[in-house]
Amino acid sequence: MTTANVYQQRPGDDVKAETPLHHANLPSLFGKGRNNPGVTLRERKLLGHLTLRGEAHDSAFSGGVHKALGLELPVALGVVSQGELSLQWMGPDEWLLICPRGQEFALEQQLREALAGLHIQVVNVSGGQTLLELSGPSVRQVLMKSTSYDVHPDNFPVGKAVSTVFAKSQLIIRHMAEDTWELVIRRSFADYWWLWLQDASAEYGLAIAE
Amino acid sequence: MLQIFCPHCAELRSEEEFHASGQAHIPRPLDPAACTDEQWGTYMFFRDNPRGIHHELWIHAAGCRQYFNATRDTVTYEIFETYKIGEKPQVTAKPAGAVPEAAAREE
């Protein structure tokens, strides 16, 4: 029996929700910019983010996670995904689950049911962070300008995710497909990253996608 | 820039991702109420300041956010090893012809 206070934290669709980049009015920029942009930015807005903690070596834990999510627990610096659902290694006992908007409450309940009785933690952090997707042939150049971490494919293959120092602040870089990278950022830093990415990708051409 | 091996991420990472957190291997007294003022004060405030080999607590602050220990030469800043909390250090005296860990791993 858990005493965790589990409740639906997302208000209904009739309640106005502003994304972390609401003030930048990204929809007004859709379809503008160069014809062949080197970098395409997409705000993956208002997704569900859950932090999951538990004992990685406990087969009851890893089995329970697989039962609840259909995803295997990734090992160090890994991210696994299935459709819109992704599970990322954050530390030896911590993972980040990102799911489509509105599914986080159901997934949290599934996880708690499958992991009942174990020493675990599930926290909804959807309000605290957001996801930016960068795609295009010049994304790696933009990342190389911004971080000291080696983003060459030999060192950073698809399916790897690292939390690192980026442009004097800190975020998570995820390599999801050959030319597709994701940045998991703090909500309060969204404007800073937006300004930084505009500046860093200006020379390659930046487009905003829906 | 220094490259430090994080034992949890299992790879070399840039020094700017880490913070040092002082001397390692300081056990908290099991029964603080039974300590004399001197014992508690020694535990609380007094730290070694050696010249040479020093075992230190570090945190991978911008990465996996885990603490780990490092054996470092306070004179040359060579880091000989990093190891998880609870493990014993392999290097306790300055090895002859010692090679810093980052250089050893790159070879």
Side-chain angles (χ1 to χ4, degrees):
Chain A
M1 179 62 193
T2 172
T3 55
N5 187 7
V6 183
Y7 62 99
Q8 173 61 276
Q9 296 180 40
R10 186 182 292 276
D13 285 338
D14 52 328
V15 177
K16 183 184 172 194
E18 291 189 354
T19 81
L21 285 177
H22 174 80
H23 64 287
N25 196 11
L26 297 184
S28 71
L29 301 171
F30 292 162
K32 295 188 180 157
R34 283 192 214 171
N35 279 335
N36 292 310
V39 180
T40 301
L41 175 92
R42 193 155 72 94
E43 185 189 11
R44 305 276 310 280
K45 57 193 179 191
L46 304 177
L47 300 177
H49 297 238
L50 294 175
T51 289
L52 170 67
R53 302 194 70 172
E55 178 53 64
H57 303 296
D58 182 356
S59 59
F61 176 71
S62 49
V65 171
H66 183 258
K67 187 178 146 211
L69 306 175
L71 292 169
E72 294 287 348
L73 273 184
V75 293
L77 306 181
V79 54
V80 294
S81 57
Q82 190 179 68
E84 293 291 296
L85 201 64
S86 67
L87 187 62
Q88 182 196 337
W89 183 92
M90 297 285 286
D93 59 358
E94 183 179 356
W95 292 266
L96 174 67
L97 175 70
I98 299 186
C99 65
R101 182 180 184 174
Q103 290 184 13
E104 65 274 13
F105 183 48
L107 283 171
E108 180 178 351
Q109 287 173 315
Q110 283 173 34
L111 279 168
R112 288 192 180 280
E113 191 180 326
L115 303 173
L118 301 176
H119 184 55
I120 58 132
Q121 183 185 50
V122 184
V123 181
N124 186 336
V125 293
S126 309
Q129 54 195 33
T130 190
L131 198 61
L132 299 179
E133 182 189 280
L134 297 171
S135 54
S138 303
V139 173
R140 200 154 66 82
Q141 271 69 35
V142 171
L143 298 178
M144 284 160 66
K145 282 201 223 176
S146 311
T147 179
S148 60
Y149 192 77
D150 181 6
V151 293
H152 190 276
D154 287 351
N155 183 60
F156 208 141
V158 173
K160 190 170 180 179
V162 299
S163 174
T164 186
V165 174
F166 192 95
K168 294 185 247 179
S169 185
Q170 182 247 325
L171 49 60
I172 299 164
I173 311 173
R174 295 149 54 108
H175 196 181
M176 304 309 284
E178 191 179 355
D179 276 341
T180 305
W181 302 70
E182 288 178 351
L183 305 178
V184 181
I185 61 171
R186 302 275 178 199
R187 184 187 179 106
S188 54
F189 273 70
D191 183 59
Y192 174 72
W193 298 120
W194 163 235
L195 296 175
W196 178 279
L197 291 171
Q198 282 181 84
D199 189 42
S201 50
E203 63 178 295
Y204 312 108
L206 175 67
I208 311 299
E210 193 165 358
Chain B
M1 187 179 297
L2 282 176
Q3 298 266 294
I4 299 174
F5 187 85
C6 171
H8 296 284
C9 297
E11 64 177 21
L12 288 166
R13 302 289 278 266
S14 164
E15 179 197 3
E16 62 183 355
E17 296 184 11
F18 298 87
H19 283 292
S21 299
Q23 186 182 344
H25 304 297
I26 299 174
R28 181 184 166 89
L30 290 174
D31 185 3
C35 286
T36 64
D37 283 354
E38 188 182 353
Q39 285 170 331
W40 185 251
T42 303
Y43 159 72
M44 208 65 188
F45 301 113
F46 287 84
R47 298 290 180 264
D48 296 339
N49 185 22
R51 178 181 167 84
I53 290 285
H54 193 29
H55 301 292
E56 294 175 331
L57 189 65
W58 284 67
I59 182 171
H60 193 187
C64 58
R65 303 189 295 226
Q66 299 294 313
Y67 283 95
F68 62 91
N69 293 332
T71 307
R72 186 174 73 90
D73 189 323
T74 57
V75 178
T76 63
Y77 218 110
E78 285 174 36
I79 294 173
F80 296 108
E81 61 172 345
T82 55
Y83 52 100
K84 292 177 185 172
I85 302 279
E87 293 176 359
K88 284 209 160 42
Q90 305 296 313
V91 181
T92 49
K94 185 164 184 172
V99 182
E101 189 185 42
R105 283 186 194 272
E106 274 165 13
E107 277 169 10

